[in-house]
Amino acid sequence: MSKAHTLDALIVGAGFSGLYMLHKLRQEGFTAHVVEKASGVGGTWFWNRYPGARCDIPSIEYSYSFDPELEAEWRWTERYAAQPEILRYLEHVADRFDLNRDISFNTLVTTARWDEERGRWLVETDGGDSYDVQFLVLATGALSQPKMPDIPGLENFEGAVVHSATWDDSVDLEGKAICQFGTGSSGIQIVGEVAKVARQLTVFQRTPNFAVPASNHPLPEDYLEKLLPDYPALRERARTSPLGFFHAAWEGSAKADDPAAREERLEKAWKAGTTGLLQAYDDLLFDEESNAFACDFARRKISELVSDPDKVRKLTPHDYPMGSRRLCTEVGFFEAINRDNVTLVDVREEPVETVTAHAVVTSAGEYPADVIILATGFDACVGAIKAIDIRGRDGRSIREEWDNGPRAYLGLAVEGFPNMFTITGPGSPSVLSNVVVSIEQHVEWVARCMVDMRDGGKQVIEATAEAEAAWMDHANEIAHQTLFPRANSWYQGHTKDGRQVFMPYVGGVGAYRQKCDEVAANGYEGFTLEGARETV
């Protein structure tokens, strides 16, 4: 093994988080390097290149705000950018700020060990390189580690098997019999495109999801010029808003509104894009009776858009409030479901018994397959971190610690793992916000913390167990004031005894930012700080 590279910080991941973290630490005078398993930048948007992959937040908002010149020079072509355009944007950012020279691609971090005596991390990679660093920044992404389903007999299949999170462009779908598992956000986007080219598409669904039309369209050439004067104010509004968007939910209560006025507002919201329906009234995520009006409206829309009554029945959610599972965006999904070459199977009614060499066999029949698509999502919020063998104080393993429920103080730091920061970790707004806004806030907080430590002669920072537990209790309490915990969703983590742990913080992006700023202003309240140590 070669001699370890000595740095102030090692950053794991070259997506939105890792790129900005590298840029910010350079600005503050730190030595930093990024390790990335892919062959290029992009993070989730490098890997998620399946047919139909698209952002469900408006492009103008799903972008960096830290550099006004960058904002002014990049031209988004669509209201909701497709994966290739988002990847081009991140590649542009990497080139513009000369970030690639400090990124090691095609490199996987395998282990990270805390050296208690020296107060530093020793990190090793699959290529044999090692890093001796003061800070370990995990910019691994909340939605990056694929979740593999337990499908009996899948190993028997002789055709191609592709996962939405690690898509293989070389797999030919044209004229093929395709079986797809999953109708979450990725699955719904895939169906809309694959149905156009498949000879037969069989979609296996466990839980139906609410999906709203994206109402996507090209952006006029002068769109950015008209927006630029208002951009700073809109960005500031997003930073202090509940969800990190330019525009907040419309005021009012659905249950208190006049029926005709409510129908008109819901119709307008339905056409407004991804989050429109959930923002039609500001009580939809808190009041079950109000939420029911939005659910009923969406169910009626499904029955209008889908012609086959049996498909309508299978596609219509009934057992959870809207928003407690991720609200999906559809571009051509309902149209695709109406096609004669698309079959919808409810696996709760018709369980999969096995997969053979060329088919999926259920309790009711056999469905031929040349290709199997796994649109089964991610090990959300924690999977990419647990994929690394990280050992903190006294050899404690992050995998074992989080097997009993994910925990982190402010979603930023884990007790027992000093000088380790988790960008958009559990206990932060992360996946229940405009994640780019949340990423920028985390990156800037971490950089401020490192500067304050350097200026104050401190070498080690660690969250206390008491502060961490109190924060996770607070996050859970806030979640249970909403309808979010009412569904069995990937927002939930689990303890060993089966208790649920709600992972994102739903108290609001603005309120969360204020709390983080107060913690820093109060001398990093909830953390212990230690001075410089002897180096060996």
Side-chain angles (χ1 to χ4, degrees):
M1 180 182 295
S2 59
K3 183 179 178 181
H5 306 281
T6 302
L7 301 164
D8 293 320
L10 184 71
I11 303 159
V12 184
F16 271 99
S17 302
L19 293 181
Y20 184 33
M21 190 80 253
L22 174 59
H23 175 65
K24 188 67 177 175
L25 291 183
R26 277 186 187 172
Q27 284 186 320
E28 299 294 354
F30 292 100
T31 56
H33 193 78
V34 175
V35 173
E36 168 57 54
K37 67 178 179 180
S39 60
V41 301
T44 293
W45 295 108
F46 178 93
W47 298 104
N48 280 20
R49 52 183 71 210
Y50 57 80
R54 183 178 299 276
C55 185
D56 57 4
I57 296 172
S59 312
I60 291 291
E61 302 185 49
Y62 193 79
S63 57
Y64 290 122
S65 68
F66 67 83
D67 188 289
E69 292 183 3
L70 173 63
E71 288 182 311
E73 71 190 17
W74 184 264
R75 296 295 194 273
W76 294 101
T77 64
E78 294 182 273
R79 183 187 184 196
Y80 296 102
Q83 177 269 338
E85 186 170 14
I86 299 172
L87 183 57
R88 287 196 301 273
Y89 171 72
L90 290 170
E91 290 170 342
H92 170 74
V93 170
D95 291 339
R96 191 186 192 286
F97 297 103
D98 190 25
L99 301 179
N100 289 313
R101 64 181 168 88
D102 284 322
I103 304 176
S104 294
F105 294 110
N106 300 305
T107 304
L108 188 69
V109 172
T110 53
T111 64
R113 299 282 189 276
W114 173 251
D115 185 329
E116 180 65 38
E117 184 177 354
R118 297 169 59 244
R120 295 178 67 84
W121 285 96
L122 183 63
V123 183
E124 298 181 0
T125 70
D126 62 347
D129 285 327
S130 60
Y131 297 87
D132 183 338
V133 298
Q134 183 179 358
F135 298 99
L136 177 63
V137 182
L138 300 175
T140 48
L143 300 177
S144 59
Q145 185 71 13
K147 184 177 182 180
M148 302 304 293
D150 183 15
I151 301 174
L154 185 60
E155 69 279 3
N156 301 324
F157 188 64
E158 295 183 0
V161 178
V162 290
H163 195 288
S164 56
T166 53
W167 193 262
D168 183 352
D169 291 322
S170 69
V171 176
D172 183 16
L173 305 177
E174 187 80 34
K176 300 295 178 64
I178 300 170
C179 287
Q180 175 179 317
F181 290 86
T183 54
S185 293
S186 299
I188 281 175
Q189 291 183 335
I190 292 170
V191 168
E193 294 299 315
V194 170
K196 299 174 185 177
V197 300
R199 181 177 79 252
Q200 174 66 38
L201 173 61
T202 305
V203 181
F204 295 87
Q205 173 185 272
R206 180 184 61 194
T207 306
N209 285 290
F210 286 108
V212 297
S215 299
N216 191 39
H217 55 76
L219 293 177
E221 290 187 8
D222 62 349
Y223 182 83
L224 183 60
E225 282 69 21
K226 291 181 178 179
L227 183 72
L228 277 175
D230 298 323
Y231 225 161
L234 289 170
R235 291 293 200 182
E236 186 58 30
R237 184 187 298 172
R239 295 183 190 106
T240 58
S241 70
L243 296 174
F245 297 132
F246 287 176
H247 304 291
W250 302 337
E251 293 182 356
S253 170
K255 68 182 181 183
D257 209 355
D258 171 81
R262 182 172 57 236
E263 185 73 11
E264 182 180 352
R265 186 187 285 203
L266 291 173
E267 182 67 38
K268 181 179 179 181
W270 175 264
K271 297 175 180 177
T274 307
T275 59
L277 197 56
L278 275 179
Q279 291 189 300
Y281 295 91
D282 58 14
D283 69 341
L284 291 185
L285 292 173
F286 302 91
D287 189 284
E288 190 166 2
E289 186 178 350
S290 283
N291 188 281
F293 285 107
C295 291
D296 289 342
F297 179 87
R299 292 179 189 121
R300 281 189 277 117
K301 284 295 185 182
I302 295 172
S303 66
E304 293 170 7
L305 293 167
V306 179
S307 55
D308 182 337
D310 190 53
K311 288 182 178 178
V312 170
R313 180 183 62 81
K314 292 175 181 177
L315 282 174
T316 304
H318 283 289
D319 54 358
Y320 61 87
M322 181 184 295
S324 59
R325 292 174 63 89
R326 185 172 178 175
L327 184 63
C328 300
T329 304
E330 68 91 17
V331 178
F333 172 72
F334 293 121
E335 180 182 344
I337 287 293
N338 281 329
R339 295 174 65 105
D340 292 337
N341 68 327
V342 176
T343 300
L344 182 62
V345 177
D346 184 336
V347 298
R348 294 175 299 183
E349 300 174 351
E350 190 180 330
V352 173
E353 294 184 342
T354 192
V355 177
T356 66
H358 302 289
V360 175
V361 180
T362 72
S363 60
E366 183 172 302
Y367 298 91
D370 302 311
V371 178
I372 289 178
I373 296 174
L374 305 177
T376 49
F378 306 91
D379 185 359
C381 299
V382 298
I385 294 174
K386 290 171 67 175
I388 306 170
D389 183 12
I390 301 174
R391 305 278 174 164
R393 289 194 192 273
D394 303 318
R396 291 163 60 180
S397 162
I398 194 73
R399 291 173 184 165
E400 294 174 5
E401 296 284 326
W402 281 2
D403 276 347
N404 198 34
R407 55 177 179 80
Y409 181 39
L410 304 174
L412 277 164
V414 183
E415 182 270 329
F417 296 82
N419 288 13
M420 184 181 84
F421 296 110
T422 53
I423 305 299
T424 65
S428 71
S430 62
V431 294
L432 281 177
S433 68
N434 177 352
V435 73
V436 181
V437 173
S438 293
I439 284 169
E440 287 189 320
Q441 184 262 328
H442 265 199
V443 165
E444 290 160 9
W445 191 94
V446 168
R448 173 186 176 180
C449 177
M450 290 173 59
V451 169
D452 288 345
M453 289 178 64
R454 180 180 62 194
D455 293 348
K458 303 298 183 182
Q459 184 173 343
V460 177
I461 186 169
E462 181 185 358
T464 69
E466 295 78 14
E468 182 183 72
W471 178 254
M472 295 306 292
D473 286 345
H474 167 67
N476 198 53
E477 180 184 352
I478 293 291
H480 281 83
Q481 294 174 15
T482 74
L483 301 178
F484 282 114
R486 291 288 305 281
N488 181 20
S489 74
W490 53 262
Y491 298 148
Q492 307 270 14
H494 296 86
T495 62
K496 290 179 179 178
D497 59 5
R499 289 178 292 111
Q500 292 183 327
V501 178
F502 197 81
M503 293 187 287
Y505 180 73
V506 299
V509 167
Y512 173 81
R513 177 185 295 269
Q514 182 178 353
K515 172 64 177 178
C516 290
D517 289 346
E518 289 173 355
V519 165
N522 292 333
Y524 294 92
E525 184 179 17
F527 290 91
T528 57
L529 290 134
E530 302 173 25
R533 300 183 180 183
E534 294 291 332
T535 56
V536 179

